[in-house]
Amino acid sequence: MIRTALSALALALAAALAMPAHADTLCRGDGHSHVRRSICAPIPPRSAQLVQIDLVDRDSGQTLPEYRHRGQDWVPGTPGHRYAVRLTNTTGGRVLVVLSVDGVNAVTGQTAAPSQAGYVLEPWETAEIAGWRKSLDDIAQFVFTDLQDSYAARTGRPDNVGVVGVAVFRERTYRPPLRQAPIAGADAARARPLPAPPAAAANADRAMAAEAMPRQLGTGHGDREWSPIGQTEFTRATSRPEQVSQVRYDSTRALVALGVIPRRDWRSDPRGPNAFPNGFVPDPPRW
């Protein structure tokens, strides 16, 4: 069930297991490009992700379509529209999701890092995060806006405008140690564990460098909205996130120019004409 009000969603404001800082690494991207990331690891397929991420246009009610282009997922946003980040826990355990919007932690306003505070999702829970967290009671709405008017740009951090990402951690569980079975026979004293198999070769990084053309769309600091949540304790099972995923966004026109959206898909509606495109008669334009 989608929690639009977030009344059952909780914040993990302090992690019991702190993550050490890591310097960025120059990772191999698609083709001949390189990109700086904290961890050089392939982006997992959606079927293998602990948390699925979608963007929802709150003004139209539609989940924004995703377009795969050169190893990255892109969604088209409409300037002036409010949007939410829909997070779906695909596991049977609690997970901590550190949410980054335009490179800024959506809870604390810090320049985003995986070690920071985030939202805790219960098993199989789906929640929609609709804005910058201002307190335990309210948010400032996410709204698509011009890059220069984005919250990140207005706070002096425009470099990562146009991307929404998550760092996901499983919760540490405590189990009693298993009883060790005794070894019988004359050679028991000489028994040694088998050597570990050699580590598999690291997969090539699929991240790519940012596109050359200027970005046009960012996330603004919109109107305040009541959105109460609680707090909870959460101990991370690992010091590094088990999933780091991101979705890039820009205006439809910019994505068409980049080749992300085919022009034929932009110019024509594959569904054809619709006799009832809206529910009620709008007011006429003012003369």
Side-chain angles (χ1 to χ4, degrees), residues 26-37 40 70-72 204-209:
L26 194 62
C27 304
R28 182 74 174 181
D30 290 353
H32 301 286
S33 61
H34 292 75
V35 62
R36 287 193 176 277
R37 295 179 61 197
C40 289
R70 296 184 180 178
Q72 293 198 9
D205 194 297
R206 294 169 55 188
M208 61 172 294

Side-chain angles (χ1 to χ4, degrees), residues 98-180:
V98 181
L99 175 61
S100 168
V101 176
D102 292 350
V104 178
N105 187 311
V107 172
T108 66
Q110 299 168 284
T111 298
S115 60
Q116 297 166 353
Y119 289 98
V120 175
L121 298 180
E122 296 296 324
W124 316 112
E125 182 180 10
T126 295
E128 290 185 1
I129 314 300
W132 308 98
R133 177 57 52 184
K134 304 301 293 182
S135 71
L136 293 178
D137 294 321
D138 64 344
I139 58 173
Q141 297 169 351
F142 292 145
V143 57
F144 290 123
T145 188
D146 294 336
L147 185 150
Q148 62 269 21
D149 193 43
S150 67
Y151 177 72
R154 292 174 64 185
T155 54
R157 296 169 289 181
D159 292 344
N160 296 297
V161 170
V163 62
V164 175
V166 295
V168 184
F169 297 84
R170 294 182 193 266
E171 187 171 23
R172 177 184 291 175
T173 56
Y174 297 91
R175 296 187 179 91
L178 296 177
R179 173 179 173 271
Q180 298 297 318

Side-chain angles (χ1 to χ4, degrees), residues 204-245:
D205 194 297
R206 294 169 55 188
M208 61 172 294
E211 299 289 347
M213 77 166 290
R215 290 157 291 175
Q216 298 183 12
L217 208 60
T219 298
H221 187 276
D223 294 337
R224 296 287 276 263
E225 178 178 321
W226 187 67
S227 180
I229 58 171
Q231 293 180 259
T232 186
E233 294 183 359
F234 188 97
T235 302
R236 306 175 194 225
T238 57
S239 60
R240 291 179 179 269
E242 295 190 42
Q243 174 189 337
V244 177
S245 303

Side-chain angles (χ1 to χ4, degrees), residues 8-25:
L9 199 58
L11 282 178
L13 295 181
L17 180 59
M19 176 180 294
H22 294 281
D24 285 347
T25 304

Side-chain angles (χ1 to χ4, degrees), residues 50-122:
L50 305 180
V51 170
Q52 181 175 318
I53 178 173
D54 296 287
L55 300 191
V56 180
D57 188 314
R58 298 180 68 198
D59 289 324
S60 69
Q62 301 296 314
T63 300
L64 296 176
E66 292 188 7
Y67 297 87
R68 192 72 175 171
H69 182 69
R70 296 184 180 178
Q72 293 198 9
D73 293 320
W74 293 80
V75 297
T78 302
H81 280 211
R82 301 169 303 154
Y83 78 91
V85 182
R86 179 180 293 165
L87 303 173
T88 302
N89 181 2
T90 65
T91 76
R94 294 206 311 170
V95 294
L96 168 65
V97 184
V98 181
L99 175 61
S100 168
V101 176
D102 292 350
V104 178
N105 187 311
V107 172
T108 66
Q110 299 168 284
T111 298
S115 60
Q116 297 166 353
Y119 289 98
V120 175
L121 298 180
E122 296 296 324

